[in-house]
Amino acid sequence: MEGNFTGKDVYDQHFAPKEYLKTYYSFSSGSSTEKDVLTFTLSKLHQVFITDGIKGDTLIDVGSGPTIYQFLSACESFREIIASDYTDQNREEMQRWLRKEPDAFDWSPVVKYVCELEGDREKWKEKEEKVRRAIRRTLKCDVTQANLFAPQMVPPATCVTTLYCLETACKDLATYRAAVKNIGSLVKPGGHLLLLSALQETFFMVGQHWFFCLYLEPEIVADAVREAGFDIVWSEMTKAHFTLSIADNHGGIYAVFAKKRSQA
C-alpha cells in the first residue's frame, strides 16, 4: 500500500478545501451517509466536553483541516484552542470563516445542530462568536515529526483531539504508531486524548483527486494509544460510513477517549 501513499506535495497541489467541505460537511436537512458520520462525531465531541465535562486552559487539535465543527463543544470548556494543519490552503480556509469573509463555508446548520444537543438551538450565533474568540492560533503541523509544530514549541495541553487525520498522513503502521506517540507528547500527564478514525479505509476523494488512507482496525488504534502512554477511558464504534464511491471506510468510525498516565 505504501506505493500508493499520497505525499505532502500532492496535498499542497491538489487538496481543495472548498470541494472537501462541500462533499463531507454539507449538513442538509435530509439524510446522507456523510451526515451520519458527522452526527456521530459531533455526539462524541459533545460527550467529552459537555457530558463528561473535560475542561482546561488549552486544547490542541491536530490535523484540523479547513473545519471548525470539532471546536463547537470544546469552546464551552477551553479558554484557548490551537488549531493546526499541514497545508496552507486548509489553514487559510479556516481563517476565512474566522474573519467572516463572504465566501467562507456556511457552518450554521452544523452549529445549530450542536446547539440543539446542548439544549438551545437559538444560541447558534453566540456559539459561532465563542468559537472565533477561542481559536487563538492556527499552526502548521506535521504528525510525522517528533515536534509537530517545529520550529515553534507548544507546551503540553490538558486535552488534544485528532479526527480523521492520522490514517491519511501515515504511509504504514510503524509511521502511524510513531505519529500517535508524537501527538501523545502534546498531552500533559493526567490529560486526555480524543482520537477518531475511519476504519478499513484505503482512499478518499476530493473532487476528482484520489488520496491514500492507511487501513486500520480498532485493535491497531487502541494498541497505538496504549503504547503512547494512555489508558483508554472509553471507546465506541459506529457502522456509519461515507458514500463508498468517495471514501471506502467499510469498518465505520472508531472513537477512542483516553487519559495519559501520570509520570512516575
Side-chain angles (χ1 to χ4, degrees), residues 6-51:
T6 307
K8 298 169 186 174
D9 57 332
V10 178
Y11 274 89
D12 285 336
Q13 295 172 24
H14 296 299
F15 192 91
K18 289 188 185 301
E19 190 71 31
Y20 172 74
L21 292 171
K22 183 177 71 174
T23 302
Y24 295 94
Y25 297 98
S26 293
F27 201 79
S28 61
S29 57
S31 62
S32 72
T33 54
E34 285 68 50
K35 185 175 181 179
D36 291 343
V37 171
L38 184 53
T39 54
F40 173 79
T41 304
L42 295 171
S43 73
K44 296 302 100 184
L45 291 161
H46 176 84
Q47 179 177 339
V48 167
F49 298 115
I50 306 301
T51 306

Side-chain angles (χ1 to χ4, degrees), residues 2-244:
E2 184 178 334
N4 296 323
F5 180 66
T6 307
K8 298 169 186 174
D9 57 332
V10 178
Y11 274 89
D12 285 336
Q13 295 172 24
H14 296 299
F15 192 91
K18 289 188 185 301
E19 190 71 31
Y20 172 74
L21 292 171
K22 183 177 71 174
T23 302
Y24 295 94
Y25 297 98
S26 293
F27 201 79
S28 61
S29 57
S31 62
S32 72
T33 54
E34 285 68 50
K35 185 175 181 179
D36 291 343
V37 171
L38 184 53
T39 54
F40 173 79
T41 304
L42 295 171
S43 73
K44 296 302 100 184
L45 291 161
H46 176 84
Q47 179 177 339
V48 167
F49 298 115
I50 306 301
T51 306
D52 294 349
I54 300 301
K55 58 186 177 182
D57 289 331
T58 303
L59 177 137
I60 300 171
D61 184 58
V62 175
S64 306
T67 67
I68 58 90
Y69 70 90
Q70 62 270 49
F71 309 129
L72 296 174
S73 294
C75 73
E76 303 295 337
S77 304
F78 286 84
R79 180 180 56 81
E80 175 189 36
I81 292 172
I82 299 174
S84 66
D85 197 73
Y86 178 78
T87 66
D88 296 343
Q89 64 265 35
N90 278 344
R91 298 194 309 279
E92 177 57 29
E93 187 64 35
M94 184 187 293
Q95 287 294 329
R96 287 192 181 94
W97 184 84
L98 293 174
R99 296 190 296 254
K100 303 183 185 179
E101 293 186 6
D103 65 339
F105 186 74
D106 180 13
W107 285 102
S108 62
V110 180
V111 180
K112 290 174 183 176
Y113 178 85
V114 171
C115 288
E116 196 169 325
L117 287 178
E118 295 176 7
D120 187 358
R121 182 182 175 87
E122 298 309 312
K123 69 171 187 178
W124 67 272
K125 289 185 179 178
E126 178 186 329
K127 169 79 79 176
E128 287 192 337
E129 293 310 307
K130 201 164 193 175
V131 172
R132 289 186 172 100
R133 288 194 301 271
I135 299 174
R136 305 291 178 83
R137 288 186 282 175
T138 54
L139 302 179
K140 188 177 183 71
C141 76
D142 184 344
V143 299
T144 65
Q145 303 300 310
N147 176 12
L148 281 69
F149 305 119
Q152 299 192 56
M153 298 297 295
V154 176
T158 308
C159 186
V160 173
T161 54
T162 183
L163 285 67
Y164 313 117
C165 166
L166 297 185
E167 56 268 38
T168 68
C170 298
K171 64 183 180 180
D172 54 32
L173 292 178
T175 308
Y176 177 82
R177 288 190 290 269
V180 176
K181 288 181 180 177
N182 293 340
I183 290 174
S185 70
L186 298 172
V187 183
K188 293 178 179 179
H192 292 86
L193 171 69
L194 175 66
L195 188 155
L196 270 79
S197 305
L199 296 178
Q200 299 178 5
E201 185 172 11
T202 64
F203 77 92
F204 71 101
M205 302 292 296
V206 178
Q208 299 302 309
H209 291 281
W210 181 100
F211 293 88
F212 169 90
C213 274
L214 181 65
Y215 187 96
L216 295 174
E217 296 283 6
E219 297 80 8
I220 294 170
V221 177
D223 287 347
V225 169
R226 293 189 189 99
E227 289 171 12
F230 291 80
D231 294 318
I232 294 176
V233 178
W234 55 257
S235 62
E236 186 175 339
M237 288 178 58
T238 177
K239 293 195 178 295
H241 58 77
F242 301 109
T243 302
L244 294 179

